[in-house]
Amino acid sequence: MKGLDAFTDRLDPDMYVVTAAADGERAGCLVGFASQCSIAPPRFVVWLSKENRTFRVAERADRLAVHVLTPGQHPLAELFGGSTGDDGVDKFAHVRCTVRPDGAVVLDEAPAWFVGRVVLRADGGDHVGFVLDPEDSGGRGGPEGPLLRLSDALDISPGHPAD
């Protein structure tokens, strides 16, 4: 079987920064596998690599925050996509963020974000899907514009191998 390359090589998905907090730890990573997955009730799924520190924190978290970025926020994408947290880098020391009363960590510079309660974890192989029930959303507002996409982030060396 050839696999999905002929299909997936044509995709250019939006990229997201997902943050998780549990037991006094916080983590975040750049994610390209994510989508709305239900209209009623509204639900969103983010897929986290089992190799990623964010996954290990998210396993214990009851909420995750999902943020969109713009192409102009490439340095922020590089921070969350190129550092693992396992390498000793405290990503949150380099950004303005807000710890919400529910424990979720929101990046203040994100044009839009939502916090969702984890309602399901689905093992998909090397990634686990976290199905989220959105509870709150916000952002810094500003002009509408394009979102950061995979093609904008191809130059970011992943903190962990992709395969």
Side-chain angles (χ1 to χ4, degrees):
M1 185 171 146
K2 282 189 159 187
L4 289 175
D5 290 350
F7 181 83
T8 58
D9 287 352
R10 299 180 68 95
L11 302 179
D12 193 15
D14 295 329
M15 301 297 288
Y16 305 89
V17 171
V18 176
T19 57
D23 304 323
E25 270 188 280
R26 57 189 183 178
C29 64
L30 188 65
V31 171
F33 298 158
S35 178
Q36 183 174 349
C37 61
S38 176
I39 296 171
R43 298 263 166 88
F44 197 88
V45 62
V46 295
W47 294 87
L48 301 178
S49 168
K50 293 177 182 178
E51 296 295 318
N52 196 304
R53 181 173 177 270
T54 303
F55 166 75
R56 294 190 302 275
V57 176
E59 281 185 301
R60 296 175 277 125
D62 60 352
R63 286 169 178 74
L64 302 179
V66 181
H67 310 79
V68 295
L69 303 179
T70 66
Q73 294 179 296
H74 188 276
L76 186 58
E78 189 167 19
L79 174 66
F80 280 89
S83 299
T84 68
D86 292 325
D87 55 13
V89 173
D90 178 2
K91 300 173 195 182
F92 298 94
H94 302 281
V95 298
R96 291 192 324 257
C97 58
T98 300
V99 178
R100 295 167 34 90
D102 58 19
V105 181
V106 171
L107 304 179
D108 296 345
E109 292 302 311
W113 55 265
F114 79 90
V115 172
R117 183 175 52 84
V118 178
V119 295
L120 176 71
R121 291 171 176 89
D123 192 323
D126 62 357
H127 284 65
V128 170
F130 290 75
V131 178
L132 305 174
D133 185 5
E135 295 182 327
D136 195 12
S137 64
R140 64 174 167 78
E144 297 290 324
L147 298 179
L148 183 80
R149 302 187 71 112
L150 176 62
S151 59
D152 300 315
L154 288 174
D155 64 326
I156 298 174
S157 297
H160 285 291
D163 48 89

